[in-house]
Amino acid sequence: MKLGKEDLISLYRKMVRARKMDELTIRGLQEGKVLSFYHSNQGSEALSVGGAAVLKKTDYLWAHHRGHGIGALIGKGLDPKGFIAEHYGKVTGSCKGISGFHMAEPEDGILGAGGTIGYQFPLALGNGLAAKKAGKQQVVLACFGDGGSNRGTLHEAMNLASVWKLPIVWVCDNNGMAQYTPIKDTYPKEDIADLAAGYNMPGIVVDGLDIMAVYEAVYEAVERARKGDGPTLIEAKTARYRSHSEGSPDVSHTQTRSQEEIAELKKRDPVESFKEKLLNQGILTEEMVAAINREAEEEAAAAEKFGVESPPPDPSVIDNLVYR
Amino acid sequence: MKQTIYLAAINEALREELRRDEKVFVIGENVQQGTFGTTSGLVQEFGKDRIMDTSLAETAVAGAAIGAAMSGYRPVADMMFADFLYIAGDEILLKAGKWHFVHAGKVNVPVVVMAAMGGGMKIGAEHSMCPEALAMHSPGLKLAVPSTPYDAKGLLKTAIRDDNPVVFFYNKGLLGLPGEIPEEEYLIPFGKADIKREGSDVTVVAISRMVHLSLEVAEKLKNEISVEVVDPRTLEPLDIDTIIASVQKTGRCVIVDEDNKRCGVTAEIFAQIVENGFDYLDAPIQRVAAADTPIAAGFLEKHVLPQPEDIEKAIRKVME
Ligand SMILES: Cc1ncc(C[n+]2csc(CCOP(=O)(O)OP(=O)(O)O)c2C)c(N)n1
């Protein structure tokens, strides 16, 4: 799979947009515009954007909870306005302000999001089953974290997905942490991808800070799934630059993560390092970088304005909504 | 007496019981740091083997606690959000709850399953529930729902010493609530309601955070209507006698809870009052509870969860 110049620029643009939206959401929380809470995606953009960018509109996507799916939404080509408005609790949000921070865009293969980490495994299994039955070459990209990989639902779903040879790509965002608990204390091996062997599917470890590596690995796995060759497990080693959720302590068990540790992780910032690479290769120029930044800022400002100016939902939006 | 807050009272109960009985341990996700502060600071005294951070795996958390309880320990499993009890439904409802009975009393499960329930944070359908009815509906489980620091500490200590499985739901909306507790050790027995405010015109049976909303309304109405607020404190066992005695005195009753109205705790208490005290009632009982919808987030939360205005309206209705 060879990414062309335009593809690379498009990926970079999406990463910058995802970062700006993340910053906007953090600010919104601080300013009281975001009503619920927020789990920043910073450090994980190469994976969230790059993985979803491989998909077609008709493919299914279960975004990882980090960033409440913002990277994946942008990666798949969605307008982030509905994301911001949802976080602001407004009626123009993806779910009219009812979910608060979960997106649902069924037309684009996003069938919702849940609050219980690991909920997505069995549902993705069902999407894969439906995709196979329908025979339309759709693929399911099911994203989760290292913490999520500890859930028992993973076993049940991965097992059957392999038995049934379903078109599912399991993508693990391993940032080393699950809230305050490091994965090294909850999983006995180095690589979560090693789980794949037990389910007789390929298990691939990829540099999750390198969007090209992510894109290529996901692309291969998606092609394989589309051909009917069954699921793949991809583990991307990413980083978490901020605390688990905004305002919560940044600790490993009870030990505060040091500034040095975070600075070390940031040395390979996925957005910055991709920019450097594309500048070095002459694919991007400084002018282009500035323009992309400006556009992303304008987009964020427009989304903010849209969110602020949109009305809150009338309480009647939830009337008669429990059943169809 | 000394001043404390709700979460610190819970923390103190755990600390005292951990000191008292080496079979007690705390297990759950991120309990060393503590998501809601209730388990914070314990690892420094008791170490990682007794304050155990687990993987993100509620089935394993509850299962490990229940299995260890069957094997002679007295674990406290922290499930973080009460909504996550559903993930360990088999372990908590079908195993911990049933096994003493189905094995003819040969097996004991002295576990405490604790979790934070309740709305107010506007964080939607899967992080705001009060799934009290889930536990109350399941034979074999006891259920404590403290509304004050005093009750929280006394009930949690009793829960840990109980030879039965106890679900202990503390309320996210009360974590910082101040209150007094005795300097010396104390326990609060299960099945004993507490009259949080005496009154003569209407009985308000209120649970957990709803106690405080009801007290607020009672205060507001004090020159017009004399409201008695009864806090059951435990829902299994339920002190129906104290509730009936209050209804006998007032002749009117409002039941307030944050779980769903349909098949919720208010429905059960309603039924028991009617069964046992129908003749005392001068007006139909009113219920104030969460709407029978999932809990909406953000601005919409207040349209789903009970508000003080709803309680006032219900009180006025029974007084008509
Ligand atoms: C079933 C369940 N358990 C616990 C939580 C609380 N929680 C939310 S995110 C999270 C950590 C998830 O870790 P991981 O899957 O590694 O993703 P990360 O946040 O590190 O990106 C926890 C414990 C939850 N939402 N659902």
Side-chain angles (χ1 to χ4, degrees):
Chain A
M1 158 75 214
K2 188 106 184 75
L3 284 164
K5 202 174 144 180
E6 287 311 313
D7 301 324
L8 294 171
I9 296 172
S10 161
L11 285 177
Y12 174 67
R13 184 178 288 116
K14 284 179 171 178
M15 271 213 280
V16 173
R17 291 169 59 213
R19 178 67 61 92
K20 292 277 184 242
M21 282 298 157
D22 189 273
E23 289 167 355
L24 175 64
T25 313
I26 293 168
R27 188 156 54 75
L29 193 65
Q30 291 158 352
E31 293 171 349
K33 292 180 186 136
V34 170
L35 303 180
S36 48
F37 53 4
Y38 189 57
H39 305 77
S40 167
N41 186 48
Q42 290 178 32
S44 186
E45 290 93 342
L47 177 61
S48 56
V49 171
V54 172
L55 300 181
K56 297 185 177 154
K57 186 177 165 78
T58 49
D59 290 333
Y60 294 109
L61 169 65
W62 291 101
H64 178 42
H65 89 96
R66 200 140 283 290
H68 301 174
I70 185 60
L73 288 174
I74 289 178
K76 205 166 192 257
L78 274 73
D79 183 341
K81 273 206 201 78
F83 170 94
I84 292 296
E86 187 64 33
H87 281 76
Y88 288 10
K90 300 302 181 71
V91 72
T92 50
S94 174
C95 297
K96 300 185 179 171
I98 297 168
S99 83
F101 48 95
H102 290 150
M103 308 300 113
E105 301 295 343
E107 302 272 294
D108 291 285
I110 297 171
L111 300 179
T116 51
I117 298 291
Y119 73 89
Q120 66 276 53
F121 298 113
L123 304 185
L125 176 72
N127 305 148
L129 181 62
K132 187 167 176 176
K133 279 179 184 287
K136 292 188 198 144
Q137 272 73 50
Q138 290 159 291
V139 168
V140 186
L141 193 75
C143 306
F144 56 101
D146 47 293
S149 80
N150 289 148
R151 280 288 310 276
T153 45
L154 171 142
H155 168 69
E156 300 189 23
M158 284 192 181
N159 184 52
L160 266 182
S162 286
V163 171
W164 291 340
K165 262 195 164 189
L166 299 182
I168 304 177
V169 179
W170 307 106
V171 178
C172 180
D173 179 332
N174 185 355
N175 61 16
M177 292 294 294
Q179 192 172 341
Y180 310 141
T181 306
I183 186 70
K184 69 175 172 52
D185 293 341
T186 65
Y187 178 71
K189 295 187 81 176
E190 180 64 27
D191 296 329
I192 290 164
D194 287 354
L195 290 172
Y199 306 106
N200 200 22
M201 64 176 153
I204 291 156
V205 177
V206 62
D207 178 357
L209 301 178
D210 177 351
I211 192 164
M212 286 168 73
V214 167
Y215 190 95
E216 277 169 24
V218 174
Y219 184 88
E220 294 286 311
V222 163
E223 286 306 296
R224 187 182 129 82
R226 236 188 264 293
K227 282 206 309 257
D229 291 343
T232 301
L233 169 58
I234 296 172
E235 173 188 6
K237 310 278 190 189
T238 63
R240 196 188 81 195
Y241 288 164
R242 302 180 64 87
S243 60
H244 167 65
S245 61
E246 292 306 304
S248 70
D250 195 353
V251 293
S252 175
H253 296 295
T254 56
Q255 221 58 41
T256 303
R257 284 204 303 172
S258 70
Q259 287 307 313
E260 296 80 65
E261 193 181 334
I262 295 163
E264 190 59 36
L265 289 173
K266 285 191 176 171
K267 276 191 189 151
R268 290 193 56 233
D269 183 310
V271 186
E272 287 302 302
S273 59
F274 191 45
K275 178 183 80 183
E276 293 306 324
K277 187 184 260 175
L278 296 184
L279 281 171
N280 288 339
Q281 293 177 359
I283 292 169
L284 279 178
T285 62
E286 292 291 356
E287 293 72 46
M288 289 162 80
V289 168
I292 287 170
N293 256 304
R294 194 171 56 245
E295 282 159 26
E297 260 156 32
E298 283 164 8
E299 179 182 51
E304 181 175 18
K305 186 162 184 287
F306 175 76
V308 168
E309 289 176 356
S310 295
D314 185 90
S316 67
V317 297
I318 55 174
D319 291 348
N320 305 314
L321 190 61
V322 178
Y323 302 99
R324 183 168 189 165
Chain B
M1 298 292 265
K2 61 179 181 186
Q3 273 294 326
T4 187
I5 56 172
Y6 187 83
L7 76 87
I10 292 172
N11 190 271
E12 205 172 292
L14 291 170
R15 191 179 295 276
E16 287 179 10
E17 293 306 297
L18 282 155
R19 280 183 190 158
R20 186 188 58 80
D21 182 353
E22 62 179 23
K23 299 282 193 205
V24 176
F25 67 91
V26 176
I27 182 167
E29 294 162 20
N30 313 295
V31 290
Q32 291 172 5
Q33 174 66 27
T35 299
F36 299 109
T38 49
T39 57
S40 305
L42 297 173
V43 69
Q44 285 80 352
E45 177 174 347
F46 302 102
K48 293 179 174 157
D49 292 340
R50 292 185 72 200
I51 310 297
M52 300 184 70
D53 274 357
T54 65
S55 56
L56 197 165
E58 286 72 17
T59 313
V61 171
I66 291 163
M70 292 164 64
S71 315
Y73 285 82
R74 291 191 165 267
V76 177
D78 182 278
M79 306 296 292
M80 199 181 306
F81 288 89
D83 314 58
F84 302 165
L85 248 73
Y86 286 83
I87 295 170
D90 184 21
E91 290 66 32
I92 299 168
L93 308 180
L94 308 190
K95 302 300 173 292
K98 295 184 180 189
W99 274 31
H100 180 76
F101 178 88
V102 299
H103 296 114
K106 288 174 161 177
V107 178
N108 287 336
V109 191
V111 71
V112 176
V113 175
M114 73 176 206
M117 70 169 187
M121 290 170 71
K122 303 191 175 79
I123 52 180
E126 296 173 35
H127 287 82
S128 308
M129 294 174 70
C130 287
E132 301 148 68
L134 183 75
M136 196 180 181
H137 180 70
S138 304
L141 299 174
K142 295 189 178 181
L143 175 59
V145 282
S147 69
T148 63
Y150 176 83
D151 292 347
K153 183 178 174 193
L155 291 171
L156 182 52
K157 284 172 66 83
T158 303
I160 293 170
R161 296 181 193 195
D162 198 307
D163 284 336
N164 298 284
V166 178
V167 175
F168 181 92
F169 282 147
Y170 60 95
N171 200 305
K172 294 199 284 294
L174 299 177
L175 293 170
L177 181 80
E180 287 196 326
I181 58 171
E183 300 279 353
E184 62 278 6
E185 179 169 58
Y186 69 99
L187 298 170
I188 297 174
F190 278 21
K192 235 183 135 341
D194 185 42
I195 300 188
K196 290 284 192 283
R197 181 187 175 109
E198 290 202 19
S200 51
D201 293 334
V202 53
T203 299
V204 174
V205 180
I207 292 152
S208 192
R209 188 167 67 89
M210 294 300 118
V211 169
H212 301 280
L213 263 50
S214 302
L215 288 170
E216 197 183 294
V217 173
E219 183 61 23
K220 180 179 168 200
L221 300 180
K222 71 173 180 234
N223 296 327
E224 294 173 65
I225 304 167
S226 169
V227 177
E228 176 146 302
V229 178
V230 180
D231 176 359
R233 300 198 292 192
T234 59
L235 294 171
E236 176 57 49
L238 176 70
D239 182 2
I240 191 67
D241 293 347
T242 298
I243 295 170
I244 296 288
S246 174
V247 172
Q248 188 175 5
K249 178 171 75 172
T250 61
R252 295 181 161 81
C253 185
V254 172
I255 313 168
V256 192
D257 182 41
E258 207 180 318
D259 196 355
N260 291 71
K261 192 168 191 177
R262 184 177 62 220
C263 293
V265 169
T266 58
E268 176 61 28
I269 296 177
F270 184 109
Q272 291 198 28
I273 294 171
V274 171
E275 278 170 351
N276 298 290
F278 185 76
D279 292 343
Y280 306 137
L281 289 166
D282 296 329
I285 300 170
Q286 291 294 311
R287 292 191 288 151
V288 180
D292 290 322
T293 70
I295 300 169
F299 293 117
L300 294 167
E301 186 190 66
K302 64 172 183 287
H303 299 291
V304 174
L305 299 183
Q307 303 299 314
E309 306 81 72
D310 305 323
I311 300 172
E312 180 176 338
K313 221 162 99 192
I315 291 174
R316 291 195 183 282
K317 181 107 197 249
V318 295
M319 291 305 297
E320 267 168 18

